[in-house]
Amino acid sequence: MSKSTSTFICDSCGNTLSKWYGQCPNCQAWNSIKEIKIPSTQISSTTTASSLKPIPADKVKASQIVRISTDINEVNRVLGGGIVPGSLTLLAGPPGIGKSTLATQIALNLSQNQPILYLAGEENPPQIKIRLHRLTQKIPSSFLFSTDTNVSSLLNLETLSPKPALIIVDSIQTIHSPNLPSQPGSPAQIKQVTHILMQIAKTTLIPIIIIGHITKEGNIAGPKLLEHMVDTVIHFEGDQNHHYRILRAVKNRFGTTNEVGLFTMTSAGLKEIKNPLLLFSSQLKTPIPGAATSVIMEGERPILVEIQALVNPTTLNIPRRVAQGIPVNRLIMLSAIINRRLGLPIGNYDVFVNVTGGLNIHEPAADLAVALAIVSAYKQKPLPAKLALFGEVGLLGEVRPVPFSQRRDKEAKRLGLAQTLAVKPILLKTIVKTLFQ
Ligand code: TYD
Ligand code: MG
């Protein structure tokens, strides 16, 4: 009996099946199962038991891996030291965040010595040229781009000599495989194209960076589907209304996932942030009631942030609790603790809290700074200057130490903040008494 040369993929959720169904057993979508004809070259590569040649593990030399530096420290750090030859990296993020800009900057740095290939499915050559002009004075002739969106064209890379040092695919949603009837960007296409890119990277040892769009909710099927197929997944995050950007490793076969890279978007591309304090504080010289500084952790990196609070008599039956950058439920809880445990009647006041710079804080370590910013705003008294606060506030009105206290403390001192609270367990009431006497 001849072997099947087809596989079936759901165009809605990306589920792979061995036969056709009218309704996808995974996502229940109707008429979404598409047949994929696997090219004969791929079939012939299906290894038979007799041709299998296993390699003894002790003969494999791991130290031979030489990482390629991107010349951008923040990118190298997130990748675990640089790009690994033959690796497949997914650079995912919402549209307009700066993915193409970052990929172009990496490509420009690498193209100084060797050719790099930029597959542009989204933009035409003049548009790419405009971006290149913003990023560099002199465009190297080894920066090659192609607007051919057929992934099979990459199979004859040997026509390119010398071999490219890096391939960038911008974006996975626009590249297609002619073997499939579905539209570019559909889950079936994304799976097939990534599979081919993976084969190219592993056989030629040319690293490939795939750009993928993802919505704020992260619910576009494409990049999610890709995550388990690639070696490394890095997310590019930030706020469209602010200039800072965070590059975060979400999966890394060649390094840790705790690293983050910080950038600002400028008129001449992305610049690395050396001193985050300048970006995330109001930089006012005189202390103002309602401002408190905290140290939060982004991965393994401490970042100083300023929390601002405004407390105003309410005109409503239920006072407002408005939070930017911290979860609103956290603000409601901290307001109740202040009311009950400190005896401050903020139940009659609207409370607004904002984290400067547009950062989103997900850890309770900022509780103490939020609570004291509110108390300071209510009392109309500023907190002492050069004071960094970090600690989780509990329902009993106690302040508990948080992980990485020493690292936070060190970073605060490095950036010129003389005093930090609370590295030891302490009552919020005691802190308030000492600070506002
Ligand atoms: P882009 O890299 O095209 O985003 P993505 O590929 O993630 O969709 O760029 C996003 C924005 O950045 C775009 O609105 C223009 C802006 N930008 C700058 O501010 N400075 C620059 O030097 C460049 C190249 C872009
Ligand atoms: Mg883009």
Side-chain angles (χ1 to χ4, degrees):
M1 213 176 96
S2 73
K3 276 191 183 165
S4 163
T5 58
S6 295
T7 183
F8 297 85
I9 287 188
C10 170
D11 224 357
S12 171
C13 70
N15 192 18
T16 313
L17 302 149
S18 56
K19 62 174 187 149
W20 190 86
Y21 289 83
Q23 185 185 22
C24 172
N26 183 40
C27 70
Q28 268 77 48
W30 287 96
N31 288 329
S32 61
I33 310 293
K34 298 274 171 351
E35 182 178 4
I36 303 179
K37 290 256 186 283
I38 299 171
S40 54
T41 52
Q42 288 178 34
I43 294 293
S44 63
S45 72
T46 313
T47 329
T48 55
S50 59
S51 66
L52 192 69
K53 292 196 182 80
I55 315 162
D58 63 344
K59 296 280 182 297
V60 181
K61 291 186 183 120
S63 59
Q64 279 176 345
I65 295 179
V66 181
R67 290 177 189 255
I68 307 161
S69 168
T70 60
D71 275 351
I72 307 174
N73 279 341
E74 300 287 295
V75 175
N76 287 348
R77 176 218 297 269
V78 173
L79 290 175
I83 302 176
V84 172
S87 65
L88 206 55
T89 304
L90 171 65
L91 171 60
I97 203 77
K99 300 180 296 298
S100 304
T101 308
L102 183 64
T104 309
Q105 284 182 241
I106 296 172
L108 271 173
N109 287 352
L110 291 184
S111 66
Q112 305 299 331
N113 310 318
Q114 270 170 288
I116 67 92
L117 179 61
Y118 198 107
L119 273 199
E122 298 202 337
E123 292 150 319
N124 57 25
Q127 286 172 316
I128 299 169
K129 191 87 192 247
I130 293 171
R131 180 180 296 118
L132 282 167
H133 273 305
R134 290 179 80 164
L135 300 175
T136 181
Q137 306 277 333
K138 192 174 169 296
I139 301 169
S141 54
S142 48
F143 189 108
L144 310 170
F145 56 82
S146 159
T147 48
D148 186 347
T149 57
N150 180 349
V151 72
S152 316
S153 318
L154 281 179
L155 293 169
N156 345 310
L157 270 182
E158 45 297 351
T159 52
L160 277 181
S161 175
K163 175 172 104 160
L166 173 73
I167 299 175
I168 288 169
V169 177
D170 188 1
S171 64
I172 190 74
Q173 277 92 351
T174 55
I175 308 292
H176 74 282
S177 160
N179 298 332
L180 280 182
S182 40
Q183 291 292 314
S186 63
Q189 279 284 2
I190 285 178
K191 258 193 167 174
Q192 176 81 347
V193 170
T194 310
H195 185 72
I196 296 174
L197 291 174
M198 192 157 66
Q199 285 189 334
I200 294 170
K202 303 293 166 213
T203 52
T204 62
L205 287 185
I206 302 172
I208 302 181
I209 297 179
I210 303 172
I211 292 177
H213 295 298
I214 197 162
T215 60
K216 278 234 152 99
E217 297 74 43
N219 58 3
I220 282 191
K224 281 270 158 232
L225 263 181
L226 286 183
E227 289 193 354
H228 68 272
M229 298 176 76
V230 298
D231 299 308
T232 305
V233 181
I234 48 179
H235 276 194
F236 209 25
E237 303 166 2
D239 190 323
Q240 297 281 6
N241 302 319
H242 293 89
H243 297 303
Y244 82 88
R245 301 283 182 269
I246 295 180
L247 192 65
R248 197 190 297 276
V250 180
K251 165 183 172 180
N252 195 351
R253 282 191 184 142
F254 315 113
T256 76
T257 49
N258 291 330
E259 289 292 359
V260 293
L262 294 174
F263 298 88
T264 39
M265 180 60 96
T266 70
S267 56
L270 291 152
K271 295 265 177 304
E272 302 172 63
I273 301 178
K274 300 266 158 36
N275 182 356
L277 183 61
L278 297 179
L279 190 69
F280 300 119
S281 79
S282 60
Q283 297 174 52
L284 293 172
K285 295 273 180 305
T286 43
I288 290 193
T293 304
S294 188
V295 189
I296 59 152
M297 297 300 291
E298 273 294 347
E300 292 202 346
R301 194 154 178 203
I303 297 176
L304 264 81
V305 289
E306 188 181 84
I307 315 273
Q308 300 182 341
L310 181 72
V311 175
N312 203 35
T314 187
T315 52
L316 305 171
N317 287 338
I318 302 170
R320 268 177 289 200
R321 302 286 179 250
V322 183
Q324 280 289 341
I326 61 160
V328 74
N329 282 340
R330 206 79 202 163
L331 173 58
I332 295 171
M333 191 193 84
L334 290 170
S335 301
I337 293 169
I338 291 169
N339 201 66
R340 196 76 191 171
R341 303 288 175 191
L342 301 181
L344 303 182
I346 60 165
N348 305 323
Y349 290 79
D350 292 331
V351 180
F352 304 87
V353 166
N354 183 33
V355 180
T356 44
L359 261 188
N360 277 315
I361 305 178
H362 303 288
E363 53 167 359
D367 282 358
L368 182 59
V370 174
L372 289 180
I374 297 172
V375 174
S376 155
Y378 174 81
K379 291 186 178 274
Q380 294 286 312
K381 284 185 185 166
L383 283 160
K386 297 194 180 295
L387 172 70
L389 304 150
F390 42 89
E392 180 178 353
V393 177
L395 291 178
L396 308 178
E398 85 283 18
V399 183
R400 290 191 294 259
V402 285
F404 306 109
S405 285
Q406 276 173 358
R407 205 174 297 177
R408 294 177 208 254
D409 187 65
K410 216 168 133 193
E411 180 69 2
K413 302 237 162 90
R414 190 180 75 83
L415 294 171
L417 285 99
Q419 199 192 349
T420 55
L421 272 172
V423 181
K424 297 189 286 273
I426 188 167
L427 275 182
L428 184 59
K429 206 169 183 169
T430 319
I431 297 182
V432 170
K433 246 189 202 158
T434 343
L435 292 178
F436 294 100
Q437 276 318 309

